[in-house]
Amino acid sequence: MSNQSSWNDEYQKPQLITQSHKPQKDFLRFIKWIKKNKHLDLSAGLTALDLGCGVGRNSYYLADHYGIEVMGWDFSSDAIAKAIKFHRHENVTFQERNIAKPFPLEDDSVDLILDVTSSNALNEKERQVYLSECARVLKPDGYMYVRTLAKEGDKNAQNMVKEFPGGEYDTYHHPQLGVTERIFSGPDFKVLYEQYLEVVRMERKTGYQRWGSQSYKRNYWNAYLKSKK
Ligand SMILES: C[S@@+](CC[C@H](N)C(=O)[O-])C[C@H]1O[C@@H](n2cnc3c(N)ncnc32)[C@H](O)[C@@H]1O
């Protein structure tokens, strides 16, 4: 089964994804950091791109709190249907779109890009398209937030790489979700992302991944990046 149909199944019968309408907590810390350091003036007039937006909780937050124009993209039609149902907002456009395909956007047209635990499901080739497209559309003074799966200190992830190898380096085929995911060591993440963007800050945090009524400890990178232009 493809990653796309596995995600659609997940949205039809959610076992892993949050049912919460609240924005992701680590993403809120990034927003706080942007405000504190005055990196961007978060207000109407800015444009944001939420890659793998899911049910749109983070897109909605940016639009509702700051009046930002947001494009929320996800390749799951079920996710987009839920996003439109639960997080409709006049400043947000939700679209069914694959983030591993060229973005239909002008160069230097986006102020803020979010990738909240989405691109870890891309394969190597897809990740190159996604990264070069993010770098291309991000404005010279633009910022990007990436929350992704960490390798260090995550026994569950390391076991899955051994037991259910996904075919490429540091990947596993998630036994329940059915999605192939990449985990990143800090140095690997930096080397890869710095080909396209500047990594300004990176911190590892422990979180919990749910499966039905159980939850598993997982480690995540929170990376704050900016354009190199
Ligand atoms: C863990 S969920 C996170 C959803 C959302 N970012 C949030 O924080 O609520 C990952 C999302 O990435 C989407 N996704 C994975 N690969 C994708 C791709 N190639 N193109 C578009 N969306 C993708 C999935 O459909 C899923 O909705």
Side-chain angles (χ1 to χ4, degrees):
M1 208 192 274
S2 69
N3 274 1
Q4 189 174 13
S5 47
S6 297
W7 273 116
N8 269 331
D9 287 354
E10 169 60 19
Y11 281 103
Q12 278 161 27
K13 272 179 110 191
Q15 300 263 42
L16 177 137
I17 41 158
T18 176
Q19 301 298 299
S20 169
H21 297 293
K22 290 187 188 150
Q24 208 283 328
K25 280 188 186 147
D26 293 336
F27 153 66
L28 289 182
R29 292 175 63 233
F30 163 75
I31 291 297
K32 230 178 173 178
W33 177 84
I34 287 279
K35 280 166 63 176
K36 187 174 158 212
N37 295 290
K38 301 189 170 57
H39 289 310
L40 290 170
D41 175 18
L42 297 177
S43 55
L46 290 199
T47 301
L49 183 56
D50 184 1
L51 299 173
C53 62
V55 299
R57 57 184 178 147
N58 303 314
S59 299
Y60 183 88
Y61 173 82
L62 287 179
D64 201 48
H65 269 70
Y66 302 107
I68 294 175
E69 290 286 333
V70 189
M71 292 168 279
W73 295 349
D74 203 290
F75 70 174
S76 160
S77 51
D78 292 275
I80 292 298
K82 287 193 175 184
I84 292 169
K85 182 169 173 198
F86 296 122
H87 295 122
R88 187 189 289 276
H89 190 285
E90 57 181 1
N91 290 358
V92 186
T93 328
F94 289 116
Q95 265 185 42
E96 195 182 320
R97 191 171 283 288
N98 190 335
I99 63 168
K101 297 266 162 71
F103 300 173
L105 300 174
E106 301 280 320
D107 294 357
D108 305 344
S109 57
V110 177
D111 299 280
L112 187 59
I113 302 180
L114 315 182
D115 165 4
V116 183
T117 347
S118 302
S119 65
N120 38 247
L122 303 182
N123 65 31
E124 302 278 331
K125 214 170 144 193
E126 292 172 331
R127 189 168 291 103
Q128 289 295 329
V129 177
Y130 142 90
L131 276 171
S132 63
E133 285 296 84
C134 288
R136 180 182 69 76
V137 302
L138 195 61
K139 287 186 185 174
D141 51 0
Y143 277 79
M144 178 166 176
Y145 169 70
V146 180
R147 182 173 190 262
T148 196
L149 302 168
K151 180 175 180 177
E152 289 93 336
D154 190 326
K155 289 212 171 72
N156 284 314
Q158 291 168 18
N159 285 340
M160 283 196 283
V161 170
K162 271 194 208 128
E163 283 183 44
F164 311 104
E168 292 186 336
Y169 175 67
D170 273 349
T171 59
Y172 56 78
H173 189 67
H174 195 292
Q176 292 122 336
L177 183 62
V179 170
T180 302
E181 294 182 316
R182 165 89 196 258
I183 57 171
F184 291 92
S185 73
D188 284 348
F189 181 93
K190 253 192 132 182
V191 167
L192 181 64
Y193 278 71
E194 288 219 314
Q195 289 171 34
Y196 296 93
L197 298 151
E198 184 186 337
V199 178
V200 181
R201 185 180 164 136
M202 240 177 111
E203 44 178 44
R204 190 156 54 93
K205 281 198 75 195
T206 297
Y208 289 86
Q209 192 172 62
R210 201 170 65 89
W211 188 263
S213 56
Q214 287 185 299
S215 63
Y216 300 88
K217 207 169 169 186
R218 297 296 308 262
N219 283 342
Y220 298 87
W221 288 113
N222 288 281
Y224 301 180
L225 306 111
K226 68 181 216 191
S227 171
K228 274 187 171 176
K229 290 174 219 160

